[in-house]
Amino acid sequence: MQHCSKHQIKSRLLLWLFFLVISLNLRSQDGSTAYNFLNLPSSSHIYGLGGINISTIEDNLNLTDQNPALLGPEMDMQIGINYMMYIGNTNFAGLKFAKKITERSALLAGIQYFGYGNMKYADEIGNILGTFSPKDISVNVAYSHDISARWRGGINLKFVYSAYDEYSAMALATDIGVNYFDPEIDFSASLVGANLGGQIKRFNETHDRLPMDVRLGFTKGLGSIPVRLSVTAWNLTKWNLPYYDPGDGTSSESPQLKDSFFPNLFRHLIFAADVVPSKNYHIGLAYNHKTRTDMSMYSRNLLSGFSLCAGLNVKYFGVDVAFAQPHTGATTFMVNLTANLNDFIK
């Protein structure tokens, strides 16, 4: 009998774990979720590519938070800092660090903070009693392993703590992903099971589910043209994603329910284009139809659903920024800083 190497055993275990965990979690899905902040990227590049992108290949550890299979030993000693000015008084910030374990594997550790500003609280008859500052914190550890020359798998474990005034809750979540990348034709494909897990401490008697999802993504370069095109399919655990079209405000009719095939299809898809003339800078544009339809109102916002990003790499640092305006009253901005500590040690 032919004996399997340790590398082959690790690869098979990773693939079996991927499909087992996704299968078990999908059976328990009921569509009711909390902890939706886990879907927000920490990468400016990803935010500019529509908010969800699991197949863009770059030597940047910030891109790994939505697909741990994008982590690799080439990111050894990278450190990343992110900050996001989100809707209202909401601000997010985080820190990541990656380390090569072997020539085929890598480890990453990170922390992400979600602060929602100050909010008033009142008693049962409406008397204002003071203010509180709700927050969420996610601490994660990710591991990746090269299954073969073109296949890589990864797993990301997240501990989530939420504190809203006197109430608190904790949860454990897992992202499991696989990626196929062929550099000769500049083609990447990924499959991810995101936010698999559950609560270990509830706010009260109500059990809140995590926003579990299965995602499929493709990215293809256009050869001599320095452009990469991406299509990402998400919310694949639930086909029906109906929404109401409010119209233009000139009609007395009620908003119309959109629940046919094509509205549902496009609310599952994110389209993105990345212009990459060199490794030193890039510019990205994306369209997320679900964001646009979720935020639709009588007063149309031309920018809703669209997002922009740009990045620049200098000698020791990389800087990425992203901008989006999902709603007329909500302008969002994100910035990333990355560096490789090896450059400072030399």
Side-chain angles (χ1 to χ4, degrees):
M1 180 181 294
Q2 184 178 5
H3 294 284
C4 294
S5 66
K6 290 183 179 179
H7 166 63
Q8 290 174 319
I9 293 174
K10 287 182 180 179
S11 301
R12 292 177 184 178
L13 286 175
L14 187 61
L15 287 173
W16 275 110
L17 179 62
F18 176 84
F19 291 110
L20 175 62
V21 174
I22 289 180
S23 175
L24 291 175
N25 278 274
L26 290 187
R27 291 177 184 177
S28 65
Q29 279 277 57
D30 67 353
S32 174
T33 65
Y35 302 94
N36 288 302
F37 61 88
L38 292 173
N39 286 327
L40 290 171
S42 64
S43 164
S44 299
H45 198 168
I46 296 301
Y47 189 61
L49 296 181
I52 294 180
N53 185 297
I54 60 173
S55 53
T56 294
I57 303 295
E58 272 198 1
D59 183 10
N60 187 327
L61 80 170
N62 285 310
L63 272 67
T64 67
D65 65 343
Q66 294 189 347
N67 183 3
L70 300 183
L71 174 67
E74 66 275 8
M75 300 175 191
D76 181 45
M77 297 297 287
Q78 270 196 34
I79 186 171
I81 302 172
N82 66 82
Y83 170 77
M84 184 177 193
M85 181 183 71
Y86 202 54
I87 299 171
N89 295 321
T90 303
N91 293 275
F92 306 149
L95 176 69
K96 290 184 177 67
F97 175 73
K99 184 73 176 69
K100 179 175 73 173
I101 303 302
T102 69
E103 295 301 321
R104 307 181 69 94
S105 61
L107 193 67
L108 177 146
I111 183 170
Q112 198 74 15
Y113 173 84
F114 304 83
Y116 307 104
N118 292 324
M119 298 183 182
K120 297 179 181 180
Y121 68 91
D123 60 20
E124 63 274 10
I125 60 175
N127 295 317
I128 303 299
L129 303 179
T131 62
F132 68 103
S133 301
K135 59 182 176 292
D136 295 300
I137 299 173
S138 174
V139 180
N140 72 294
V141 177
Y143 172 80
S144 72
H145 181 76
D146 289 348
I147 300 170
S148 67
R150 294 180 178 176
W151 286 91
R152 177 178 288 172
I155 183 169
N156 184 24
L157 301 177
K158 295 178 282 190
F159 170 78
V160 181
Y161 172 77
S162 300
Y164 305 154
D165 192 27
E166 62 185 42
Y167 302 97
S168 64
M170 292 181 286
L172 290 175
T174 305
D175 303 326
I176 303 177
V178 290
N179 172 259
Y180 171 84
F181 177 55
D182 186 345
E184 295 181 1
I185 59 174
D186 197 7
F187 173 76
S188 170
S190 293
L191 178 64
V192 172
N195 303 317
L196 312 173
Q199 282 185 305
I200 55 177
K201 181 182 182 297
R202 305 178 185 182
F203 285 111
N204 47 39
E205 297 302 320
T206 303
H207 176 72
D208 296 315
R209 293 189 180 278
L210 274 64
M212 297 181 238
D213 192 15
V214 172
R215 300 164 182 171
L216 181 64
F218 303 92
T219 297
K220 179 69 174 70
L222 300 184
S224 59
I225 303 174
V227 175
R228 295 182 301 205
L229 301 179
S230 296
V231 178
T232 306
W234 65 307
N235 280 315
L236 296 183
T237 61
K238 183 180 180 182
W239 167 252
N240 288 320
L241 297 175
Y243 72 98
Y244 284 92
D245 185 349
D248 58 7
T250 61
S251 173
S252 60
E253 296 180 359
S254 300
Q256 294 185 353
L257 177 65
K258 300 292 185 178
D259 194 21
S260 58
F261 176 80
F262 284 106
N264 274 304
L265 174 63
F266 283 103
R267 277 168 60 81
H268 285 280
L269 301 177
I270 299 172
F271 303 94
D274 222 359
V275 181
V276 192
S278 75
K279 292 183 178 180
N280 294 325
Y281 64 95
H282 68 85
I283 300 173
L285 170 68
Y287 176 70
N288 185 327
H289 189 61
K290 187 175 186 300
T291 296
R292 185 171 182 84
T293 51
D294 283 347
M295 297 293 179
S296 62
M297 56 184 296
Y298 293 138
S299 178
R300 302 294 184 179
N301 175 17
L302 179 63
L303 297 179
S304 181
F306 290 93
S307 54
L308 298 167
C309 63
L312 176 66
N313 294 319
V314 292
K315 186 174 182 180
Y316 294 116
F317 298 96
V319 181
D320 287 88
V321 295
F323 166 85
Q325 192 181 56
H327 191 275
T328 53
T331 298
T332 60
F333 176 79
M334 178 182 282
V335 60
N336 285 168
L337 295 176
T338 56
N340 193 309
L341 298 183
N342 285 322
D343 294 335
F344 297 92
I345 298 173
K346 293 178 182 179

